Structure formats: C-alpha cells, structure tokens
Amino acid sequence: MEHFNSDRIKVALLVVALGGLLGGLGFYFTGRPEIASIVWHIGVVPVLAALLVEILRSLSRGEVGLDIVAALSMSAALLFDETLAAAVVALMYSGGTFLESFAEGRARREMRALLERAPRTATRHGQDGLEDIPVDDIVPGDRLLIRQGDTIPVDGKVASASAFLDTSALTGESLPLRAGNGDDAMSGSTNAGEAFDVVATRLAKDSTYAGIVRLVEEAQRSKAPMARLADRWSLGFLAVTVAIAFAAWWFTGDPIRAVAVLVVATPCPLILAVPVALVAGLSRAARFGVLVKGAGPLEAMARARTLILDKTGTLTEGRPRIVKIDSHDGTDPDEVLRLAAALDQATRHPVAQAIVAAAHDRGLTLAVPTDVTESPGEGLTGQVDGRSVVVGGHDFVAGRVGQDMADYAELAAGSVLVAVAINGRLAGHLVMADPLRSGTREMVARLRRQGIEHILLATGDRHEVAERVTEGLGLDGIRAGLTPDQKVLLVLEERKRGPVMMVGDGVNDAPALAAADVGVAMGARGAAASAEAADVVLLVDRVDRLGPGIEIARGARRIAIESVVAGIGLSVLGMIAAALGYLTPIQGALLQEAIDVAVILNALRALRITPSET
C-alpha cells in the first residue's frame, strides 16, 4: 500500500507540474503574464514541497542526493521571480522521478504465494472419525491423514508402514524419498504416493515450512537497499554546481546569474538518463525471457561477480529421467524398458510415470498389464504379454526373484535404480537420475566470459549426487546438504567478495534469493515462493537465459553511465556559460531540455542491445 500511495503521489505531482507549465504558457501568450506567473507558482510549489520532504528524509538517513540541486534551482528561480524557469525545472524533476518510479516498480512484493501454498486445514483422526480442522489447531500428538498430493501441514513422524515424500521444494532432492514408520516428515513435503498417517511433533508456527516463510521475510527486511546509480555522482556534482553558482554571484553581484547556473545544473541527465536506459534494459531483457523486477535489480545484475546456483530444477531438469538401461541376461534394453513401462502404467508413482514417458518417447507400444499387485512405495508385480514381470526397488525385486544383487550396487551412485525381473530372473536395471539441462556447460563458460568470477553450487541434495551431476562443469565449489538458513549464510559469506547473484527454483531457495543482491528464480516450473522472493524471474524453463540477461543488464548500465557522463559534461559547459552571462535562467532551462533530449535518445539505445549468443 505504501508503494501504491507513493506512485500515486508521483503521478499527481507530474500532472500538477505539466498542467502548471502549460496553463501558465497559455496565459502568457494571451497577454496576461501576471496570471501566468501565479499559475507557474501553483505548478511548482507542490513539487518543491514534496522534494523538500524527500530531502529531509534522505538527510535523516545520512544520504545526500541530487534532489538538493533541483530544490536549489526551483527555490532560487521562485525567489528571483523566474517562475517560467522554475516551472520547467519542476516538470523535468517530477517527470524524472515518475520515470524512475516506473522503472523500479515493485522490486519486492509480499510473500503472498508462499503463504497461500501453506495448508490452511488438515484432516485429523478424532474419536468420531476423520475431521477437518484449521492447521493452527494441530497440537503435538495429533494423528493426521495425508492424502495423495496433500502437503504435510506440520512437522511430524510417519505413522504408517511407509510413505513416499516429494521434498524437492524443501531440500532440492528431485526424486521422491521413501519414509518408514517413525521416520521424520517435514512440513511442506508433498505426498507422492498412497495416503498415510503422520503424528504431529510440532505446532504449525514452529514447523519447517513456517520457518522458511520467516527466513524469507527476515532476509528481505535485512537486505541493504540498493543505492541509485545517479546518487553516486551526486556529492561531486552538487559541490561543482554550488561553487560555480556562488562564484558567478560573488564576482558579478548578479543573483540572476547564480539562478541561471542552478537551472542549467538541474541534474536531469542523471535523473532521466539512468532510469530511461534501465527501463529500456528491462524491456529488452523481457524479450529474451528474463523478467527483471526493477531498475535496481538490473543494475545489481550488471555488477554481480559471484554466482550461486541451486541444483535441482536449476542446473538439472528437476525430474527423473532414464540415463542408462543395463541388461543383465541378454534381453534387449528396449524390451526391458517396454515391459517395465507396461507394468508401471498401473501406478501413479512419479518414478513409474517417468518410465512410462521414456517408453513413449522411444515409440514403444505398451501392452495392458494384468493381475497387477502393488506394494506402495516398493514396486509392482503382474503379467505383461503372458510374462511375469516385477518392477521396483533393488530389495523389493531381489526378494521376489531370490537373487543376490549386491554386484549391481555401484550403479546407484548418485542415481536411483529401478530393477526389472522377467519370469523370475533379473533382466536389468533402469538407471534414473536428474540430468543436467542441455547447454549448461556452455552457459557456465559464457558466464565466465561475462565477468562472473566465482560460481558455486548450493543444494540440499547429497554431496555424492551433486558431485556426479556437476562433474566437468568447472565450478569453484560445491556446498551440499544445505538447509534454507544455511543457504542464506552462504550468500552472506560470499557477499564479502562483492555483489552476489543466487539462482534457484524451490521453496527452500526463497530465503537465499531474498538475501542475495540479485535473486533469480526459475519461473516456468519453479515454486511461486521463489518467484515472489526473487528480483529476476526466468520466464522460460531455461537457465541459459541468464547469460543474455546479464549481457543486457551490463549493456544498459554502460549506456546509462555514458549518458550521465555526456549529460554532466554538457551541463557543466552550460553552467560556465550561464556564470559568464551568456544564458538567462529560461535559456538555461531550455538548454537543459535540449541536453535531456540528447541523453534520453542515447539512453534509448538500450532497446537495441543484442546479446552476442542467444
């Protein structure tokens, strides 16, 4: 609401300044200069008042900005009855702040999506059967029913024989995990198998998911605000302006020359050129599937030197795929896959669905299985084309065929093994993993060329899995087994090197995205929470879009700086001319308008930035 009110005030000030200038000109050209002066006063005073309030707020925070120069020029022009010049400056200033506000937008929105994902109700076993209760009413010891697809509302212990939990949003583990009776069940995990019971061990407010929400909110509150690019030039420019204006008044005794200097010095090249270039960069980045939530994040993206990457769903596809089929008795690998997929049609387990999809991708025709028996979370048995088929976990299939399969354990390093037995004998293994996205190696090399000096992997997955997946990428480090708060600590530690960019897609990444100088979320399939917490959202499910995004950000920042340098140089020349008496205040205002047009046209070149590799 505060951002909304601020935006409305800026729009209102722009309307008042524009109306005052045009209305005054109308009276002036119809021969009523006195009324014109009054109208110009009316257009300037609200802008000046709002500007003074903003200056006082900045000074209270220990900040000195370019707004002081604009306030001095408007005040001096009004004081010495140069009201038209004051009206022109007011319009330039209000237009610049409005444009800057438009560029920034809302870099931070409330964590609405994250909170909406959290369950509001739960199903509890009561004396009279099942009952739906608010999550906040759950107390430790309550026995809850978690149906297929449900999100676990509070931390607890599995109270059924087995459960399959999708913890990808919390830990980054892309494959569902099997939990047995008495094992921990984290809130925020999703039931990927049959319904099971959980005995609550914590209140909702003390559970894992609620802790992640708090981490995100705390990270956003503690994150240092980004300084405007223009304000980094402000102190020096202010000093030069005051010195030239004072010298002009001191040596000539003519205060109007000082007014002319101040009017020419109104820092519109800084106020206008920077947001125009960055807004153009935002628009250009969006064309390449990179949504940047404001000018500040775009500038920070251009300055980033350290990149921290999540694994699951970011570097990898975030879903299991068959990477290898090992046939152990001479059976054709496609036949092993076909029979396994045919039987797996009878279950909704995510791994089984991935096997079915792989068979379809290979164009295999799947028969309808019969006599199917499923052991939830373990495997299936049944008949396919008159043959007895068993598909499931290593131990499950070994128990059904009475065969020692210890020799095949090495296949499981960093992967999930699905064993397949045909007619009582082990036929093969389907080796499943979450592979790297295509083009990842090229992307890492490109980021190095673009000036990213330090690239780390941060994942909640196991270290051996992370090492296997990223082998050959040339990363500077791997941090595995991280919790959400540990990811935040990693970001804060790496910020000692310089600006940090964090890329992730899960709920567990949201706090780190909020804490980083630039948080980048995978928006196509990533969690809504990470997209809300991030500064940048990749609209397509391709992490390689990060390269063009960074290149555009750096190009837009470079053009903004070029515009600022050129604009300030021309302004300084104009100030010298005004100090020597060659420019009146209104001529100075018009000159400054011409400078504005020039720097804005230059800033708009950011709309034509084309990444070197797309």
Side-chain angles (χ1 to χ4, degrees):
M1 182 62 71
E2 180 181 348
H3 287 287
F4 179 69
N5 289 335
S6 175
D7 290 344
R8 292 184 65 179
I9 290 172
K10 290 176 180 178
V11 171
L13 291 175
L14 176 60
V15 171
V16 168
L18 179 60
L21 177 62
L22 296 179
L25 288 173
F27 283 110
Y28 182 82
F29 287 115
T30 55
R32 288 177 283 184
E34 299 82 4
I35 299 178
S37 180
I38 294 172
V39 173
W40 286 327
H41 267 91
I42 294 172
V44 172
V45 169
V47 177
L48 180 58
L51 178 55
L52 292 174
V53 170
E54 186 59 36
I55 290 172
L56 291 175
R57 288 178 178 172
S58 298
L59 292 175
S60 68
R61 297 191 299 266
E63 300 171 0
V64 178
L66 290 164
D67 300 341
I68 294 177
V69 179
L72 284 174
S73 63
M74 277 188 272
S75 300
L78 290 178
L79 180 64
F80 293 102
D81 203 31
E82 295 287 343
T83 50
L84 175 56
V88 173
V89 173
L91 178 61
M92 288 190 295
Y93 178 78
S94 59
T97 54
F98 170 77
L99 191 58
E100 187 173 38
S101 175
F102 175 78
E104 291 176 353
R106 285 193 173 186
R108 288 290 177 267
R109 292 182 285 172
E110 296 179 1
M111 292 301 298
R112 191 167 53 248
L114 180 59
L115 295 172
E116 286 175 354
R117 184 183 181 275
R120 296 285 186 269
T121 62
T123 303
R124 181 174 65 185
H125 290 276
Q127 293 181 349
D128 299 324
L130 296 175
E131 56 182 351
D132 288 334
I133 61 170
V135 167
D136 291 338
D137 290 349
I138 298 173
V139 296
D142 281 350
R143 189 181 183 96
L144 309 174
L145 174 65
I146 311 298
R147 300 181 178 88
Q148 187 174 51
D150 283 354
T151 299
I152 300 175
V154 297
D155 290 344
K157 299 281 188 182
V158 175
S160 299
S162 65
F164 258 78
L165 304 178
D166 179 359
T167 62
S168 58
L170 296 172
T171 67
E173 173 61 68
S174 59
L175 300 172
L177 303 177
R178 184 180 183 278
N181 193 303
D183 288 344
D184 290 332
M186 287 189 297
S187 59
S189 301
T190 301
N191 181 6
E194 301 298 321
F196 64 92
D197 288 347
V198 164
V199 174
T201 56
R202 291 183 181 178
L203 299 174
K205 65 183 181 66
D206 299 324
S207 292
T208 301
Y209 195 80
I212 291 177
V213 173
R214 286 193 295 272
L215 277 173
V216 173
E217 293 172 340
E218 289 167 8
Q220 288 185 336
R221 283 196 298 268
S222 64
K223 184 172 179 178
M226 297 176 187
R228 292 186 304 174
L229 175 63
D231 286 343
R232 299 187 198 125
W233 302 71
S234 59
L235 204 55
F237 188 73
L238 176 61
V240 170
T241 299
V242 172
I244 294 176
F246 180 77
W249 194 349
W250 177 267
F251 288 109
T252 66
D254 183 3
I256 300 302
R257 290 199 183 187
V259 174
V261 169
L262 292 173
V263 169
V264 175
T266 301
C268 290
L270 289 169
I271 296 172
L272 292 174
V274 172
V276 166
L278 297 182
V279 167
L282 298 180
S283 174
R284 190 62 175 164
R287 297 269 315 260
F288 289 86
V290 182
L291 175 63
V292 186
K293 298 181 182 179
L298 187 79
E299 186 194 342
M301 193 176 184
R303 295 186 295 112
R305 291 294 178 269
T306 296
L307 176 64
I308 300 176
L309 294 163
D310 174 48
K311 180 182 75 68
T312 304
T314 303
L315 282 184
T316 67
E317 295 181 357
R319 47 193 170 193
R321 286 179 52 191
I322 295 175
V323 295
K324 185 179 181 183
I325 301 176
D326 276 299
S327 174
H328 306 317
D329 65 352
T331 305
D332 181 71
D334 278 354
E335 182 67 3
V336 174
L337 174 60
R338 186 185 73 82
L339 294 174
L343 185 59
D344 276 340
Q345 293 176 108
T347 180
R348 296 177 60 188
H349 192 283
V351 173
Q353 292 176 350
I355 292 172
V356 173
H360 285 312
D361 289 343
R362 296 195 183 196
L364 302 179
T365 301
L366 304 183
V368 178
T370 58
D371 300 328
V372 178
T373 301
E374 179 175 5
S375 297
E378 296 184 346
L380 300 93
T381 63
Q383 297 289 318
V384 178
D385 289 339
R387 283 181 278 186
S388 175
V389 179
V390 183
V391 179
H394 207 67
D395 295 338
F396 175 77
V397 176
R400 294 299 184 278
V401 300
Q403 185 175 344
D404 182 10
M405 293 195 284
D407 293 341
Y408 306 115
E410 69 276 4
L411 293 173
S415 306
V416 169
L417 283 185
V418 176
V420 183
I422 303 172
N423 291 332
R425 291 192 58 80
L426 180 66
H429 279 94
L430 306 178
V431 184
M432 306 193 71
D434 186 12
L436 282 177
R437 293 175 181 270
S438 61
T440 300
R441 286 178 173 77
E442 293 79 3
M443 178 202 72
V444 171
R446 179 181 183 179
L447 293 176
R448 298 278 193 196
R449 293 194 299 271
Q450 290 177 346
I452 300 297
E453 300 165 357
H454 200 60
I455 303 178
L456 298 174
L457 179 74
T459 179
D461 212 340
R462 302 185 306 278
H463 195 276
E464 62 271 19
V465 175
E467 277 192 330
R468 179 182 181 276
V469 168
T470 60
E471 186 177 358
L473 279 184
L475 302 183
D476 297 300
I478 296 174
R479 306 290 189 272
L482 300 183
T483 60
D485 55 336
Q486 289 172 332
K487 287 189 177 183
V488 172
L489 291 176
L490 176 62
V491 168
L492 297 179
E493 177 185 341
E494 290 299 321
R495 288 178 74 178
K496 298 174 184 176
R497 301 174 183 267
V500 173
M501 184 185 305
M502 167 77 191
V503 185
D505 79 320
V507 174
N508 63 318
D509 300 316
L513 295 177
D517 295 281
V518 186
V520 182
M522 303 291 291
R525 291 195 301 113
S530 60
E532 290 287 343
D535 305 290
V536 180
V537 179
L538 303 183
L539 298 177
V540 292
D541 195 30
R542 292 176 56 187
V543 72
D544 63 357
R545 294 295 85 195
L546 192 59
I550 292 175
E551 191 169 345
I552 290 169
R554 292 189 172 169
R557 184 172 184 270
R558 183 184 64 253
I559 289 171
I561 293 175
E562 290 172 355
S563 299
V564 165
V565 171
I568 287 181
L570 292 172
S571 294
V572 170
L573 293 176
M575 284 190 282
I576 294 172
L580 295 175
Y582 293 114
L583 293 174
T584 64
I586 187 58
Q587 289 172 337
L590 294 175
L591 174 63
Q592 188 57 258
E593 284 288 355
I595 295 173
D596 292 343
V597 171
V599 298
I600 288 174
L601 290 175
N602 183 67
L604 287 173
R605 290 192 299 116
L607 286 171
R608 299 194 300 273
I609 297 173
T610 301
S612 57
E613 301 172 40
T614 57

